[in-house]
């Protein structure tokens, strides 16, 4: 008997997984060194404890029920096909384990050999892989839609340039200066639009693929810089800009943050009512877990059904003749926000106005002391 016990002990210690011998009452009779390391106990400290002590308190009653069911109909469960359980370390921290159970009959009664491995790292890797696959699938879908729409929008000014080049040649042949000037003006306008389109496409590509170089940035300073860049438009439209709330700092790629803010502010200035100057309110709201920035206007607004569609590339709710632009600005904003882990959303009511909200999760150790 002593020889058998010694062999059993050596087999337990040789196992690279955590290994426990549990009696019919759920008491641990034997634990190897790996189980003591995994659960944070010292040598022999697990012996005599209830196996439920290795589970969070809220799971112990259910586990006792499952253990009773297993005892009534014991069956071997292979490692890798067992149950994922949340286990409890001695220090109170929780982690995921995978278990395998083998019932054995001994001269002292029925017992269970339990094998356990920490699968936390594997679960994290699986979740990361599934998340990456989901993002890849979304990116591929966006790329296909983007390529189709981009090719259509780029072809439009090129078709105009080609068509009006023929008109220009015909006008020059007839010495029709008015027709020639008209054709040249259309070609120049189309060329400018194509150039803006290409520039916005490059900006969108950079926002989607360039890793942000983050640093602490004052949101108020970033807004002031964006407003300075739009100062001519503000002056021409006699726009009214109001501020509320307190400044806070965000971890951001400074140029990308400025571009995001400038694009949203530009929209607020552009889509104003024809009989009123633009009215824009900037509300800054610092918080413990999240900081909020809301850019609200009293412009023409849009239907709530379009609240997601407006962030799609080339999605325009109005004709270019009414409101110029390429339809990429808000798509760039959404991409910048996603790359930084921010949440960007919009709510709007037609003829009443729109509000764009950006939620910035607060980084550990971040405070209100922003760097300019």
């Amino acid at each position: 008997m002593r020889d058998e016990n010694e062999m059993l002990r050596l087999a337990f210690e040789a196992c690279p997984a955590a290994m426990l011998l549990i009696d019919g009452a759920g008491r641990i009779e034997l634990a190897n060194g790996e189980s003591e390391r995994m659960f944070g106990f010292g040598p022999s400290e697990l012996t005599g404890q209830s196996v439920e002590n290795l589970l969070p308190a809220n799971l112990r009653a259910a586990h006792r029920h499952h253990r009773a069911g297993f005892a009534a109909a014991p069956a071997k469960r292979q490692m890798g096909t067992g149950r994922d359980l949340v286990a409890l370390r001695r220090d109170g921290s929780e982690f995921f384990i995978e278990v395998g159970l083998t019932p054995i009959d001994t001269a002292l009664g029925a017992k269970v050999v339990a094998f356990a491995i920490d699968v936390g790292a594997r679960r994290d890797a699986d979740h990361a892989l599934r998340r990456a696959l989901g993002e890849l699938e979304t990116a591929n879908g966006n790329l296909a839609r983007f390529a189709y729409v981009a090719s259509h929008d780029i072809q439009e000014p090129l078709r105009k340039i080609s068509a009006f080049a023929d008109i220009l040649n015909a006008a020059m042949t007839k010495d029709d200066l008015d027709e020639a000037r008209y054709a040249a003006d259309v070609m120049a306008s189309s060329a400018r639009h194509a150039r803006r389109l290409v520039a916005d496409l490059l900006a969108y590509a950079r926002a989607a693929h360039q890793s942000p170089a983050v640093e602490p940035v004052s949101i108020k300073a970033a807004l002031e810089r964006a407003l300075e860049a739009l100062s001519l438009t503000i002056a021409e439209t006699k726009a009214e800009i109001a501020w509320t709330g307190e400044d806070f700092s965000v971890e951001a790629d400074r140029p990308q943050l400025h571009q995001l803010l400038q694009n949203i502010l530009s929209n607020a200035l552009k889509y104003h009512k024809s009989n009123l100057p633009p009215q824009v309110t900037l509300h800054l709201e610092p918080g413990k877990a999240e900081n909020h920035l809301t850019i609200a206007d009293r412009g023409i607004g849009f239907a709530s059904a379009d609240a997601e569609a407006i962030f799609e590339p080339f999605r325009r709710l109005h004709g270019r003749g009414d409101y110029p632009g390429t339809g990429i600005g808000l798509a760039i904003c959404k991409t910048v926000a996603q790359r930084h882990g921010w949440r960007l959303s919009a709510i709007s009511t037609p003829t009443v106005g729109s509000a764009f909200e950006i939620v910035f999760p607060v980084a550990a150790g971040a405070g209100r002391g922003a760097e300019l």
Side-chain angles (χ1 to χ4, degrees):
M1 180 66 72
R2 285 195 298 270
D3 289 343
E4 289 180 358
N5 287 342
E6 181 64 14
M7 289 177 63
L8 181 60
R9 188 188 66 79
L10 291 174
F12 263 53
E13 287 301 329
C15 182
M19 196 170 180
L20 303 170
L21 180 65
I22 304 167
D23 67 14
R27 295 288 173 181
I28 299 171
E29 290 190 348
L30 187 61
N32 67 350
E34 178 60 23
S35 63
E36 293 166 346
R37 183 202 65 78
M38 180 184 295
F39 290 98
F41 287 86
S44 302
E45 287 184 337
L46 282 172
T47 304
Q49 291 200 43
S50 169
V51 70
E52 272 78 40
N53 291 346
L54 303 182
L55 299 175
N58 64 316
L59 300 178
R60 291 172 186 171
H63 186 266
R64 279 191 289 268
H65 175 74
H66 291 312
R67 183 163 51 77
F70 180 82
K76 184 177 181 180
R77 294 180 180 174
Q78 297 294 329
M79 182 69 70
T81 59
R83 301 173 58 228
D84 262 7
L85 298 174
V86 178
L88 183 70
R89 296 187 181 92
R90 185 178 188 177
D91 62 7
S93 61
E94 297 180 2
F95 66 106
F96 285 99
I97 61 171
E98 189 175 87
V99 299
L101 303 177
T102 301
I104 60 173
D105 291 320
T106 72
L108 299 177
K111 302 184 187 299
V112 176
V113 176
F115 304 85
I117 57 173
D118 184 341
V119 295
R122 190 184 72 190
R123 287 171 61 93
D124 291 344
D126 288 344
H127 291 164
L129 178 60
R130 285 195 293 270
R131 185 167 57 250
L133 290 175
E135 291 174 354
L136 180 60
E137 183 177 351
T138 301
N140 285 338
N142 289 341
L143 180 61
R145 184 171 63 253
F146 180 82
Y148 172 79
V149 180
S151 63
H152 175 272
D153 276 51
I154 289 176
Q155 287 179 37
E156 179 190 354
L158 297 181
R159 282 195 299 266
K160 275 190 175 181
I161 292 172
S162 177
F164 279 87
D166 293 337
I167 294 174
L168 177 61
N169 284 332
M172 292 177 66
T173 301
K174 297 183 297 183
D175 289 331
D176 188 340
L177 294 181
D178 291 338
E179 185 73 5
R181 290 192 188 96
Y182 172 68
D185 288 342
V186 172
M187 291 171 64
S189 175
S190 298
R192 286 192 295 270
H193 176 62
R195 185 170 60 187
R196 287 194 300 270
L197 188 59
V198 170
D200 282 351
L201 285 171
L202 291 174
Y204 181 81
R206 283 193 297 269
H209 301 293
Q210 186 176 13
S211 297
V214 299
E215 58 180 313
V217 182
S218 158
I219 196 67
K220 184 177 181 181
L223 284 165
E224 288 173 343
R225 176 174 170 179
L227 291 171
E228 176 62 27
L230 297 167
S231 58
L232 181 60
T233 302
I234 292 173
E236 290 176 342
T237 59
K238 298 181 173 57
E240 301 171 7
I241 311 295
W243 295 75
T244 61
E246 300 178 35
D247 190 19
F248 54 82
S249 176
V250 299
E251 292 290 324
D253 182 297
R254 194 181 297 266
Q256 290 189 14
L257 173 61
H258 290 159
Q259 184 170 40
L260 181 155
L261 298 176
Q262 184 171 327
N263 287 358
I264 294 177
L265 288 167
S266 177
N267 269 22
L269 297 172
K270 181 194 305 183
Y271 296 104
H272 67 91
K273 298 182 180 74
S274 58
N275 60 331
L276 292 173
Q279 296 173 298
V280 182
T281 300
L282 311 176
H283 179 64
L284 290 64
E285 184 180 343
K288 292 183 178 180
E290 296 177 336
N291 296 320
H292 295 250
L293 168 65
T294 304
I295 300 176
D297 64 62
R298 298 183 186 177
I300 62 173
F302 55 85
S304 58
D306 294 318
E308 292 294 332
I310 59 171
F311 295 109
E312 296 176 7
F314 302 103
R315 178 59 68 95
R316 298 179 55 86
L317 304 182
H318 308 279
R320 188 174 293 113
D322 299 323
Y323 297 94
T326 61
I328 306 179
L330 290 180
I332 294 173
C333 296
K334 192 72 167 181
T335 301
V336 169
Q338 289 173 340
R339 294 282 287 176
H340 283 79
W342 306 331
R343 300 196 305 275
L344 171 62
S345 59
I347 57 173
S348 185
T349 302
T351 73
V352 175
S354 307
F356 288 79
E357 182 185 46
I358 313 167
V359 180
F360 307 90
V362 175
R368 296 191 183 184
E371 293 185 12
L372 300 181

